[in-house]
């Protein structure tokens, strides 16, 4: 007696009462594309900078909420549709929270690409009063002053956080350090600039301006951020790791260097990058300390030094004989500054991934 087996029946996910996992993502992308097409049609013949990306993204998120609710109710029923709608509303709220960032990036990119050319990265503004010119002197100045600020701030901030976490016992000195760090976190940036200027003016006389002065002014703003972020990361290291090292007879300083710091290196690196992003866009303290110049200066200890924030401010405030060209250079400078911060963050994540402790077996 023979038996026959029937072939398996394929179930269509669209009619089985459950949407495929990729459908919500596809619907979100489709809603955004539809709104972008609608606003692109309405913006025909207008400059690209007039495209209302905020309204397009917002209405795309709203369209996604209604669309996913309708499709889910049709396929999965009312109860699952309610869950889908709530999830979509939360996702739409996150997108709405990102709208200022989206608008900022779109505006800077659309306006800054006009002068994003070779001349901008190879020429300074020396003897340029109209079209042309570039920001190579400001780019070098920004990188040099930021590097000097990091070299000053990271060792001081990291050693302070190590003392607060590993050596202090909640005494008066630790409480005083914590108090002053909190005070420094909230001081206006111009106060830091005036502090650095006053300190150098005592030794070199009034009217002095150098790149290293700007680095010291930015260090006043950067150190408390490094201290706070590093302190939190060090406190997250389990005490069991320290106790295991002490049980093996490892000295405390070597435990900190070989156990505590490698364990928290990823978080510390992220905190340092946040601190750099905090100070790299400062303008007021650099106007007071580093000054501004139209020529390239690579010496931190002599003469004025231009930075990108000051360059953007100067191009916008002093537009000269060709306002359109000056504004275009200002937008290109802002775009360059954003790209530098992005590259630094990517580099920091790579460094943290390389040097962070490896877990699991290969």
């Amino acid at each position: 007696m023979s038996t026959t087996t029937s072939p398996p029946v394929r179930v269509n996910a669209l009619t089985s009462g459950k949407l495929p996992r990729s459908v919500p993502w596809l619907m979100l992308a489709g809603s955004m594309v539809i709104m972008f097409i609608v606003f692109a049609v309405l913006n025909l013949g207008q400059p690209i900078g007039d495209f209302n990306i905020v309204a397009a993204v917002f209405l795309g998120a709203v369209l996604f909420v209604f669309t996913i609710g309708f499709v889910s109710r049709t396929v999965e029923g009312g109860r699952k549709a309610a869950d889908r709608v709530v999830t979509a509303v939360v996702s739409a709220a996150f997108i709405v929270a990102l709208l200022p960032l989206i608008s900022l990036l779109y505006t800077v990119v659309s306006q800054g690409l006009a002068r994003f050319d070779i001349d901008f990265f190879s020429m300074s503004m020396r003897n340029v009063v109209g079209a042309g010119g570039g920001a190579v002197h400001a780019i070098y100045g920004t990188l040099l002053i930021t590097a000097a600020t990091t070299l000053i701030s990271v060792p001081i901030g990291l050693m302070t956080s190590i003392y607060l976490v590993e050596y202090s016992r909640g005494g008066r000195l630790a409480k005083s350090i914590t108090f002053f760090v909190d005070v420094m976190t909230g001081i206006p940036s111009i106060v830091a600039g005036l502090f650095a200027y006053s300190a150098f003016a005592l030794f070199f006389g009034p009217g002095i301006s150098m790149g290293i002065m700007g680095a010291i002014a930015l260090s006043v703003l950067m150190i408390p951020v490094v201290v706070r972020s590093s302190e939190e990361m060090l406190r997250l290291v389990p005490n069991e790791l320290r106790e295991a090292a002490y049980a093996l007879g490892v000295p405390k300083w070597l435990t900190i260097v070989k156990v505590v710091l490698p364990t928290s290196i990823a978080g510390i690196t992220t905190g340092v990058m946040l601190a750099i992003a905090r100070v790299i866009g400062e303008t007021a303290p650099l106007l007071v300390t580093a000054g501004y110049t139209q020529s390239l200066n690579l010496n931190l200890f002599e003469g004025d030094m231009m930075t990108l924030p000051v360059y953007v401010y100067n191009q916008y405030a002093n537009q000269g004989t060709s306002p359109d060209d000056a504004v275009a250079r200002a937008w290109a400078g802002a775009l360059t500054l954003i790209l530098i911060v992005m590259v630094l963050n990517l580099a920091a994540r790579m460094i943290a991934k390389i040097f962070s402790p490896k877990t699991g077996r290969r």
Side-chain angles (χ1 to χ4, degrees):
M1 186 174 181
S2 62
T3 58
T4 59
T5 58
S6 59
V9 179
R10 290 187 176 182
V11 178
N12 189 351
L14 292 176
T15 60
S16 61
K18 184 177 181 181
L19 291 174
R21 296 181 61 180
S22 60
V23 168
W25 293 103
L26 294 175
M27 294 180 66
L28 176 60
S31 301
M32 292 297 174
V33 169
I34 291 173
M35 286 295 108
F36 270 73
I37 292 175
V38 170
F39 277 85
V41 172
L42 295 175
N43 197 59
L44 286 177
Q46 302 295 327
I48 188 173
D50 294 340
F51 182 81
N52 197 341
I53 190 172
V54 172
V57 174
F58 175 76
L59 293 179
V62 174
L63 179 62
F64 166 66
V65 172
F66 285 101
T67 306
I68 191 66
F70 174 78
V71 174
S72 179
R73 186 175 184 85
T74 303
V75 177
E76 299 175 315
R79 185 174 182 180
K80 186 64 177 178
D83 178 70
R84 295 274 191 188
V85 169
V86 172
T87 304
V89 169
V90 173
S91 303
F94 172 71
I95 294 174
V96 171
L98 291 178
L99 285 180
L101 177 61
I102 295 172
S103 176
L104 173 67
L105 292 177
Y106 176 78
T107 304
V108 173
V109 171
S110 61
Q111 300 288 344
L113 287 178
R115 274 306 320 272
F116 218 65
D117 49 29
I118 296 177
D119 289 343
F120 186 80
F121 294 98
S122 60
M123 297 178 61
S124 66
M125 289 300 297
R126 184 170 183 173
N127 299 326
V128 176
V129 294
V136 65
H137 58 311
I139 295 173
Y140 276 108
T142 297
L143 295 178
L144 289 173
I145 290 179
T146 303
T149 303
T150 304
L151 289 177
I152 296 171
S153 303
V154 171
I156 296 175
L158 187 56
M159 287 188 289
T160 301
S161 62
I162 290 175
Y163 170 78
L164 292 175
V165 175
E166 303 293 336
Y167 291 97
S168 71
R169 294 293 182 267
R172 289 185 177 181
L173 179 59
K175 292 180 179 178
S176 299
I177 292 174
T178 302
F179 172 76
F180 284 112
V181 167
D182 292 338
V183 172
M184 291 175 64
T185 304
I187 64 172
S189 59
I190 188 62
V191 175
L194 292 174
F195 161 76
Y197 175 81
S198 301
F200 274 79
L202 291 175
F203 299 97
F204 300 98
I208 185 70
S209 59
M210 294 183 293
I212 192 64
M213 292 172 58
I216 292 176
L218 295 182
S219 298
V220 176
L221 302 174
M222 185 174 175
I223 288 174
V225 181
V226 175
V227 172
R228 272 305 186 193
S229 60
S230 301
E231 182 183 0
E232 294 301 323
M233 291 301 104
L234 293 176
R235 292 189 188 279
L236 292 178
V237 177
N239 284 327
E240 289 80 3
L241 296 179
R242 299 180 177 89
E243 293 170 356
Y246 298 152
L248 295 175
V250 180
K252 187 165 188 174
W253 71 269
L254 193 58
T255 300
I256 296 172
V257 173
K258 295 293 186 179
V259 177
V260 177
L261 290 179
T263 304
S264 57
I265 187 65
I268 292 175
T269 306
T270 302
V272 170
M273 293 314 305
L274 290 175
I276 292 176
R278 159 77 171 84
V279 302
I280 197 173
E282 289 291 343
T283 305
L286 295 177
L287 278 171
V288 177
T289 55
Y292 63 90
T293 178
Q294 308 294 356
S295 303
L296 177 62
N297 178 20
L298 300 180
N299 190 349
L300 285 168
F301 299 93
E302 183 180 359
D304 295 346
M305 181 173 285
M306 180 68 87
T307 57
L308 278 172
V310 178
Y311 175 84
V312 173
Y313 166 78
N314 189 48
Q315 290 298 314
Y316 185 79
N318 305 304
Q319 299 179 3
T321 60
S322 182
D324 292 338
D325 292 306
V327 172
R329 287 191 293 264
W331 282 114
L335 178 58
T336 304
L337 188 61
I338 291 176
L339 292 177
I340 289 176
V341 174
M342 183 185 71
V343 171
L344 290 176
N345 276 277
L346 292 176
R349 290 188 178 275
M350 292 179 59
I351 293 172
K353 185 176 181 180
I354 293 173
F355 291 98
S356 61
K358 305 298 185 294
T359 57
R361 296 183 178 180
R362 294 182 179 271

